[in-house]
Amino acid sequence: MIDSYAGLDDAGVATAAARAGADVVRAMYGRHLTRVDKGGGDFATAADIEAEKAILGVLHEARPDDAVLGEESGERGAAGAARRWLVDPLCGTLNYAVGNMLVAVNVALCGGAAAVADPFSGEVFFTDGENAWVRHDGADARLVPTSGTRLVDVNLDPPFPGAPGFRAVDLLARPGFVEHFRPRVVSTTLALAWVAAGKRAAYVTDGGDLSGSVHFAAGIALCRAAGCVVTGIDGAPVGQTGRGLVVAADDETHRLLMTMVENPARHGG
């Protein structure tokens, strides 16, 4: 097991870890799963927990000196480690628990490589921090963003720190939005990988600093490496000064979305 990861670079480790988690998620799909209440209406299933164990197993064998933050198990490794992985073993838990296959497995090295696996399509979207690809059926292809679909995913999950000035749900009712885009709501950060891959024109979510989030870090890394425009909903760089995310395939799409986010009265709603 140890030797199987010995020659992998960070992108290879991220990909192997995400695939290990995706294998568990796919294998446990459709079962009656125990739920673990996390408060505030949030919960994890046995699949979240087992997938995270599989991911941590890969990371421990491949990069034993690195620290890891897992959504379900918390911090592991030396507090002062120079490198830290962020793990979201099943993004879209509620979807999964009710029999919906729209989920993602996210693994990201802070400031470096990352991977997002779709357990059901078999696709793994990954980046070495500079370029981004999708692996499917053993073949790799570069990720090429495009706004051609005009599909924009809007995350409607709480919290809503931007309210009342910004409410993501309000975008869906604005004439200016539906004139230019077709809204989608999938409730998983798989949609971020889809922006990088040209399957979505953009993604919008409220929130605070999402750069270090186990849910968003891998998708942000993918989109940046693929050449997408990535900012907060306030237009600031994603990080301590940014809020939420507006990720777009190109400058024009980003500019148009920002006019609606910043000046809702001009676009109805």
Side-chain angles (χ1 to χ4, degrees), residues 144-146 192 195-197 201 222-230 247-251:
V144 181
T146 173
L192 271 173
V195 178
L222 276 174
C223 288
R224 282 176 167 160
C228 300
V229 182
V230 181
V247 178
D250 52 44
D251 287 322

Side-chain angles (χ1 to χ4, degrees), residues 164-175:
F166 170 77
R167 295 180 187 272
V169 67
D170 292 342
L171 281 175
L172 307 183
R174 289 175 190 160

Side-chain angles (χ1 to χ4, degrees), residues 4 7 27 66 69 77 90 92 109 138 156 173 186 211 227 256 265:
S4 65
D66 292 356
L69 172 61
L90 205 174
L109 174 64
L156 303 184
V186 300
S211 61
L256 187 54

Side-chain angles (χ1 to χ4, degrees), residues 25 28-31 33-38 41-52 71-72 87-106 119-120 155 157 186-190 214-215:
V25 170
M28 297 184 72
Y29 179 74
R31 300 184 190 178
L33 299 174
T34 302
R35 295 190 183 190
V36 179
D37 184 20
K38 298 166 71 171
D42 193 15
F43 66 91
T45 70
D48 297 69
I49 295 168
E50 293 304 315
E52 184 160 304
E71 181 181 10
E72 309 307 334
V87 174
D88 180 0
L90 205 174
C91 185
T93 298
L94 181 55
N95 286 350
Y96 184 82
V98 300
N100 189 313
M101 294 182 179
L102 289 172
V103 300
V105 177
N106 300 320
F120 299 103
N155 180 26
D157 290 338
V186 300
S187 298
T188 168
T189 53
L190 180 60
V214 295
H215 306 291

